[in-house]
Amino acid sequence: QLVNVAAKVRGMYAGAVGGVPITVRATIGRSWGQGGQHSQGLQSLFAHIPGLRVVMPSTPADAKGAMAWSLTESKDPVIFIDHRMLHKMSGPVPLSNSDAAWGCDPKSGSRRIYQGDDITIVALSYMAVEASRAVAMLQSLGLSVSLFDPVWIRPLPVLHSVVTDVQRTRRLLVVDCGWPTYGWSAEMVASVAERTPIERVARMGFAETVCPTAKSLEDLYYPTAETIAAKAYEMVMRKKMPALEKNGAAPEVATFRGPF
């Protein structure tokens, strides 16, 4: 019904029939040994469909703003996707209802977290949290990094800013909380490459298999701050990243007990 009816009503009747203003909230992401059916990233399936809007905020402020816009402003169906590792995150939440306060209108909603000169990283949803930790590691090694959080992935308001940034860094790393093949990260890379030259480009996401249940294997399945930093360092320096002190699992991962 979402794909074949709600997304198509406006286009099929040339605007004579209004859209379907429904907001559907869903949860994705890693878990704690729950296996393949509970550890998925299906956002690319929905983002593929014209007529659907897809939002994946990573901060409480953006989550509130995007949800409020979806419920009060959107005339089209919105797929609002939470990553379960974000559910315990805290942060300031503006009281104002203005787009200026939230920045979550899909025409403009996106966020630059860091600005640097060596490499541009675009990290989606919870990956923006892990990528922020990766940036701290890279900064300790002398690298200057730009980091973008897209917030909306259909439409993709972050694209213009990323293209402008890559014109300076010439390097792009896209980190998705889903499989790279045929996914949102591929769309992000292609959209940037069509608009500006890139010297080095890479994508990261789930391993190309069903998520294993065993904790030791599950830890290898997902990108982490360490693997993101290592990939970015190799792209800039063309050699392996020096070993850094290991901090263990991210706190939200180490303490997660589900069942959501």
Side-chain angles (χ1 to χ4, degrees), residues 64-231:
K64 178 182 179 181
M67 179 61 74
W69 187 92
S70 300
L71 294 174
T72 62
E73 301 293 334
S74 181
K75 295 178 174 57
D76 297 304
V78 177
I79 312 299
F80 186 105
I81 301 178
D82 288 322
H83 193 292
R84 57 170 58 92
M85 289 300 119
L86 296 171
H87 285 181
K88 292 186 178 180
M89 294 291 179
S90 61
V93 177
L95 295 177
S96 170
N97 291 349
S98 69
D99 290 339
W102 287 334
C104 280
D105 185 311
K107 295 179 181 178
S108 59
S110 63
R111 190 174 302 284
R112 184 202 300 267
I113 303 174
Y114 294 96
Q115 182 169 357
D117 297 323
D118 292 322
I119 188 170
T120 304
I121 300 177
V122 184
L124 181 61
S125 184
Y126 175 62
M127 289 296 100
V129 176
E130 290 282 48
S132 293
R133 295 169 179 151
V135 170
M137 298 177 190
L138 294 167
Q139 289 174 338
S140 73
L141 296 171
L143 297 190
S144 176
V145 182
S146 286
L147 174 60
F148 290 90
D149 175 2
V151 185
W152 288 88
I153 64 172
R154 179 93 182 204
L156 193 60
V158 76
L159 180 60
H160 175 74
S161 296
V162 172
V163 169
T164 301
D165 203 77
V166 171
Q167 288 172 346
R168 186 181 69 259
T169 67
R170 298 292 181 175
R171 302 178 184 94
L172 174 63
L173 173 60
V174 181
V175 190
D176 192 5
C177 41
W179 295 277
T181 303
Y182 308 110
W184 170 80
S185 60
E187 174 63 29
M188 189 75 229
V189 166
S191 295
V192 175
E194 287 172 347
R195 291 163 173 81
T196 191
I198 308 176
E199 291 179 4
R200 303 208 72 188
V201 62
R203 293 175 285 153
M204 298 181 70
F206 295 169
E208 292 289 343
T209 185
V210 175
C211 181
T213 302
K215 183 67 166 62
S216 58
L217 296 176
E218 186 185 53
D219 288 342
L220 300 175
Y221 182 78
Y222 301 103
T224 64
E226 290 77 10
T227 59
I228 295 169
K231 185 63 179 179

